[in-house]
Amino acid sequence: MSDKIKALIAHHLNLNPEQAEEALASFKPVSVNSGEWLFRQGDEGTSLFLLVRGRLQVWASDGDREDGRWLGEVRAGETVGEIGLLTGQPRTAGIQASRDSQLITIDQPAFETLSTRYPAAARALAGGIATRLQQRTSGDAGPTRRISNLCLLPLNNQPEIQQLVDDLIDDISTHVNVLIVDPDRLDEIGAPLADFSASSTDIPETLKSWLDKQESEYDMCIYRCQATDSAWTRFAVRQSDMVAKVARTADSCKPSSWHQSLVDTPGSKLARNCLILMHPAGGPEVIQGTAEWLDSYEPEFHLHVRDGNSNDLERTSRILSGRAVGLVLSSGAARGLAHVGICRALHDANIPVDWIGGSSIGAIIGGGIAYDLGPDDVDHRVHSGVVKGKSFSDYTWPAVSLLAGKRMRRNCRKYMPGLIEDLPIPYFCVSTNLNDGRQNLHRRGALALAAGASASLPGLLPPTVIDQQLTVDGAVVNSLPINEMRQMPVSKVIVVDLSSSESHRVDYKELPSGWRIQLGRMLPFIKRYRAPGIASMLLKAAELGRLERDRRKLALADLIIRPPIKRFGMTETRSYQDIVKVGYESARDAIDQWLVGAKEAS
């Protein structure tokens, strides 16, 4: 271990091996258990820490992590506290151990002595700070939580649950280099067991160090547990980046006493918390009852696996192993019908959609995709609800909006039944609170209500009432919820961008009167002026307000699909088939180029 520590010191302080040997004497060892704070935001900053083993989380909060904002992770071999060491300023963020961790630390007086002898050490730290600041402002993808340790925790020991765990492990192992860490089979994988057995009340340091080393040898370590609050289960939960609890919906959703005891232990709530709900054969055709499970276990997210459904199993495997694909669908009114063609192009290219996020019309079409019934079903729902159902044609006295919105609400209820949490594919959409302009992130509740609210463009459609608050179109504040998708457990993000950067010149010096514009549209012998209608003006004005924000967010996407839909009007639903075709063809071309690039890169 001392050789490893000296190598880390040499790397971070730009020292040769002999100098690192001398510098080692200035450092002191520090141990932090999972759940403990190394320091909090605002604490005195007079020391540098180098993480030797374990994992730390960075929080913009000086209190409990629920009150803070997760900023990123610190992995073995990385440092924290450079700014405080060099400037003496208070800590700008809190550092909490997400695993049992070992560090070494050097305080300010000792470092000043060391840097006087080796000036390159201070320059190396300053250069590392500058590099991280540049990365934060370069537009690169934000912090993500890489899943290298996964804990599979059954909520009971029913054979069906054990079989699902086996199936998940088999599927993950097919695609990822995995080490299965089972307490009953540690000897089979060469673990040191001199001071450990399955009934041990503590995990020896020799085993912890060995498991830490395996993390660098494999893409993922899967910790397998039994439905019990044992020392092994507690250790596995503390060491994991994600804890996936597996339950059968045929069983009671009331948490057991052992589970409550487990979640009350320090460090048990730092990993991403997933609930996998197994739906036995012979149950309801449509998923039901998810809300009660979520209220009981309060997971960060949940996944459905229906018995015999290979799509569900493979999707769950991809999400747990960090291979999932997220699809973000944007606003665009009738032009957003291009999403239907894009959905079909992804299906034809065998690109799975594991998580869906949408805004405005993207929320509606994304909801149709989330039923996981294929592109034909999406086409039917959208065409029946938007085109045949004439969702954009019930004009009314414009006291609040140009459209009454009754047809939109009726069609949403008819073609988008059920709750968001019961959808087979994880889904979210965004809307805007009309009172304070805050964004609403909808991940639970009635799908028709949430998606309809997300598409309630001010002036065109009336606001939607949610929790006694007036709610309008999500595109008012966020037409491309890419940042929100990046917070989900997805690896790749595909974005459909329907904003237009094209410009057009008009053939008049002054906008003609409304009468002349209307006559030109109705009579062939009157000059036709190119001018937007009221609805198009409202939609375009909303788009202009956030174009620049959208362009910056696009840096977070892995694939951007931009269908050429400028020639279609913002309310031109009669061109449904043409818009869908343009979406399909543009997506097919973009996907082909993306796959070729990915193949060349590998």
Side-chain angles (χ1 to χ4, degrees):
M1 179 68 76
S2 61
D3 290 339
K4 175 181 177 181
I5 294 174
K6 284 186 287 186
L8 291 175
I9 292 174
H11 171 71
H12 286 287
L13 300 184
N14 194 23
L15 303 177
N16 62 40
E18 293 75 16
Q19 293 167 341
E21 176 83 40
E22 180 183 341
L24 179 60
S26 301
F27 286 82
K28 298 178 181 179
V30 175
S31 295
V32 187
N33 292 325
S34 177
E36 293 181 349
W37 289 87
L38 181 63
F39 53 77
R40 295 181 183 270
Q41 183 174 325
D43 285 354
E44 182 181 9
T46 57
S47 54
L48 166 76
F49 296 89
L50 196 158
L51 182 60
V52 178
R53 175 172 64 81
R55 185 77 60 83
L56 308 173
Q57 293 183 350
V58 187
W59 290 90
S61 171
D62 57 358
D64 293 337
R65 83 180 192 93
E66 288 80 3
D67 298 329
R69 180 167 52 92
W70 185 87
L71 298 180
E73 292 179 330
V74 180
R75 295 174 174 270
E78 298 178 347
T79 60
V80 292
E82 298 97 326
I83 295 177
L85 181 74
L86 295 177
T87 67
Q89 296 296 314
R91 302 297 189 185
T92 57
I95 301 293
Q96 188 178 26
S98 55
R99 300 184 188 174
D100 296 344
S101 301
Q102 290 185 346
L103 309 94
I104 57 172
T105 182
I106 184 171
D107 60 22
Q108 203 170 49
F111 184 76
E112 289 176 354
T113 300
L114 182 66
S115 58
T116 299
R117 182 172 177 81
Y118 304 114
R123 291 196 298 269
L125 285 185
I129 295 172
T131 299
R132 282 202 291 272
L133 289 174
Q134 183 181 20
Q135 290 172 344
R136 290 180 185 177
T137 58
S138 64
D140 294 338
T144 57
R145 304 190 190 191
R146 178 175 173 268
I147 308 302
S148 53
N149 282 0
L150 169 68
C151 174
L152 292 176
L153 177 61
L155 292 182
N156 64 53
N157 292 318
Q158 293 285 347
E160 296 90 340
I161 293 182
Q162 298 299 328
Q163 183 60 55
L164 176 57
V165 170
D166 288 338
D167 292 343
L168 287 170
I169 290 175
D170 288 345
D171 194 82
I172 293 173
S173 301
T174 302
H175 302 89
V176 178
N177 183 22
V178 168
L179 176 68
I180 310 302
V181 187
D182 187 323
D184 296 324
R185 300 175 181 175
L186 288 174
D187 56 334
E188 297 178 15
I189 58 176
L193 300 178
D195 302 312
F196 175 78
S197 67
S199 59
S200 296
T201 58
D202 198 8
I203 308 300
E205 286 297 323
T206 52
L207 180 56
K208 289 182 180 179
S209 297
W210 184 84
L211 289 170
D212 181 71
K213 182 179 179 182
Q214 304 316 301
E215 191 173 336
S216 61
E217 302 291 331
Y218 292 86
D219 296 327
M220 172 176 283
C221 295
I222 298 180
Y223 287 75
R224 185 163 189 170
C225 299
Q226 297 298 318
T228 180
D229 179 21
S230 64
W232 174 260
T233 302
R234 293 189 179 204
F235 170 72
V237 168
R238 293 199 310 270
Q239 292 301 107
S240 295
D241 306 301
M242 181 184 293
V243 176
K245 300 172 184 177
V246 188
R248 293 193 321 163
T249 55
D251 299 325
S252 170
C253 67
K254 181 180 179 181
S256 61
S257 57
W258 72 262
H259 176 270
Q260 191 58 49
S261 176
L262 177 67
V263 299
D264 287 339
T265 59
S268 65
K269 298 180 180 180
L270 296 178
R272 305 202 77 162
N273 179 16
C274 167
L275 178 63
I276 301 174
L277 294 175
M278 180 182 179
H279 302 269
E285 183 178 349
V286 178
I287 295 173
Q288 299 174 358
T290 306
E292 193 173 3
W293 283 91
L294 301 186
D295 292 339
S296 295
Y297 286 92
E298 299 182 339
E300 180 184 347
F301 64 94
H302 67 283
L303 303 169
H304 296 289
V305 179
R306 294 161 291 184
D307 184 74
N309 190 304
S310 59
N311 285 348
D312 291 352
L313 178 69
E314 292 167 5
R315 180 185 311 111
T316 300
S317 168
R318 287 190 296 270
I319 291 173
L320 295 183
S321 58
R323 299 178 292 116
V325 175
L327 176 64
V328 176
L329 305 181
S330 67
S331 63
R335 295 172 177 174
L337 299 173
H339 290 124
V340 176
I342 293 166
C343 166
R344 187 176 296 279
L346 290 168
H347 177 270
D348 290 351
N350 294 317
I351 295 178
V353 174
D354 301 310
W355 214 289
I356 301 168
S359 179
S360 196
I361 187 69
I364 290 178
I365 297 178
I369 298 173
Y371 288 103
D372 194 28
L373 296 174
D376 288 341
D377 181 76
V378 175
D379 194 327
H380 168 72
R381 290 176 191 268
V382 175
H383 188 265
S384 299
V386 177
V387 183
K388 287 186 176 180
K390 299 181 179 180
S391 293
F392 293 108
S393 61
D394 56 343
Y395 287 92
T396 186
W397 180 258
V400 176
S401 58
L402 292 175
L403 302 179
K406 292 182 179 179
R407 289 181 181 174
M408 173 69 82
R409 292 192 295 271
R410 181 188 66 224
N411 290 328
C412 282
R413 290 192 297 268
K414 182 176 181 179
Y415 295 104
M416 304 178 70
L419 303 177
I420 293 174
E421 56 266 37
D422 290 332
L423 292 170
I425 300 179
Y427 165 92
F428 69 85
C429 66
V430 296
S431 66
T432 305
N433 188 302
L434 189 59
N435 292 330
D436 54 21
R438 288 183 300 175
Q439 174 179 281
N440 302 316
L441 182 64
H442 302 280
R443 298 183 63 184
R444 293 186 60 176
L447 173 60
L449 184 65
S454 185
S456 298
L457 187 81
L460 183 63
L461 287 162
T464 300
V465 180
I466 296 182
D467 297 331
Q468 296 184 304
Q469 298 282 319
L470 293 179
T471 305
V472 296
D473 199 294
V476 172
V477 294
N478 191 355
S479 68
L480 283 173
I482 304 174
N483 298 78
E484 290 71 17
M485 181 61 78
R486 276 294 177 192
Q487 298 304 311
M488 308 304 167
V490 298
S491 173
K492 303 294 183 182
V493 175
I494 299 173
V495 175
V496 180
D497 178 23
L498 298 180
S499 62
S500 174
S501 59
E502 301 176 29
S503 61
H504 298 277
R505 302 176 67 88
V506 297
D507 57 354
Y508 45 81
K509 293 183 179 180
E510 183 178 309
L511 186 68
S513 69
W515 288 111
R516 290 188 64 84
I517 293 172
Q518 188 61 29
L519 287 172
R521 292 172 178 170
M522 297 172 59
L523 303 175
F525 52 84
I526 300 294
K527 181 178 179 180
R528 184 179 181 89
Y529 292 94
R530 183 170 186 167
I534 296 176
S536 293
M537 282 285 290
L538 290 169
L539 292 164
K540 189 62 179 178
E543 179 184 85
L544 291 174
R546 37 76 181 168
L547 274 178
E548 187 56 36
R549 294 199 309 270
D550 289 350
R551 293 189 184 107
R552 290 195 298 268
K553 289 191 294 183
L554 287 170
L556 302 177
D558 296 284
L559 170 62
I560 304 170
I561 300 173
R562 291 188 173 98
I565 38 76
K566 178 65 178 179
R567 68 178 182 271
F568 300 107
M570 301 288 269
T571 58
E572 195 177 331
T573 57
R574 66 181 181 276
S575 298
Y576 176 82
Q577 296 297 341
D578 291 333
I579 298 174
V580 170
K581 181 179 179 182
V582 168
Y584 178 85
E585 292 176 347
S586 62
R588 183 189 58 197
D589 294 341
I591 291 168
D592 288 345
Q593 294 178 21
W594 185 49
L595 294 177
V596 169
K599 185 177 181 179
E600 292 176 349
S602 62

